[in-house]
Amino acid sequence: MSKLIVFEGIDRSGKTTQVKKLYDHFTALKLGFYITREPCNRNVRFELKNGNLSPKQQLELILKDRCEHCHLTKHLLESADLVLCDRFTGSTFAYQGYGHGLDLDVLRELNEVATGGVTPDMTILFDCPVDVAIKRNFG
């Protein structure tokens, strides 16, 4: 039975670094696994980082991307022991919900539709102080 493990946390909290370490470890163990990330579409990532989008516009892009990502993830889970995902629905609650004030109940409903039933078996939260993340980015 394959598992979906999601890594959540602020930018520069160490998510991607730990996923890379697990890649090396799981490769050495000869496990069948895949690594994904959200947003999965490079154009969506660029638009979210560089576009002048309202929180609702961000959410629309994220949910569309999540639908595509979860469709792919369902297939990956059928053929692998593990799927590791850098960001998932928790990031939407953090950024668009708590950060931008969008309604959490609405976000929950929209995410349920967008994921098509894909839910993590485990979520690992990287609780990194903002000042540490800033130093990692600029220091």
Side-chain angles (χ1 to χ4, degrees):
M1 175 185 269
S2 57
K3 302 288 184 192
L4 173 61
I5 301 173
V6 172
F7 297 79
E8 294 280 11
I10 63 173
D11 289 344
R12 304 288 187 237
S13 63
K15 299 177 307 298
T16 304
T17 299
Q18 294 306 313
V19 168
K20 288 177 183 176
K21 288 182 179 190
L22 284 172
Y23 173 89
D24 294 337
H25 181 69
F26 292 157
T27 299
L29 293 175
K30 298 187 183 337
L31 286 176
F33 68 97
Y34 293 97
I35 296 173
T36 66
R37 67 183 289 185
E38 282 200 358
C40 65
N41 182 299
R42 184 175 289 178
N43 294 330
V44 171
R45 283 195 305 269
F46 179 83
E47 190 66 27
L48 289 169
K49 287 187 180 211
N50 301 306
N52 188 16
L53 303 173
S54 72
K56 287 185 180 181
Q57 290 170 319
Q58 291 173 4
L59 180 62
E60 288 174 13
L61 273 177
I62 290 165
L63 292 173
K64 181 180 177 192
D65 183 83
R66 182 160 296 137
C67 285
E68 294 172 15
H69 176 251
C70 287
H71 180 75
L72 170 66
T73 300
K74 283 181 184 180
H75 293 292
L76 296 177
L77 287 166
E78 293 172 1
S79 63
D81 297 313
L82 292 167
V83 175
L84 309 176
C85 182
D86 188 339
R87 294 200 188 277
F88 198 58
T89 57
S91 290
T92 307
F93 285 100
Y95 287 97
Q96 281 66 42
Y98 293 102
H100 290 297
L102 297 182
D103 185 274
L104 297 177
D105 290 327
V106 171
L107 289 179
R108 193 170 291 106
E109 291 173 18
L110 293 172
N111 271 309
E112 285 178 19
V113 172
T115 61
V118 173
T119 57
D121 295 288
M122 178 187 296
T123 299
I124 300 171
L125 175 63
F126 289 78
D127 187 10
C128 177
V130 173
D131 61 322
V132 172
I134 290 170
K135 286 179 187 172
R136 289 177 180 171
N137 199 36
F138 300 109

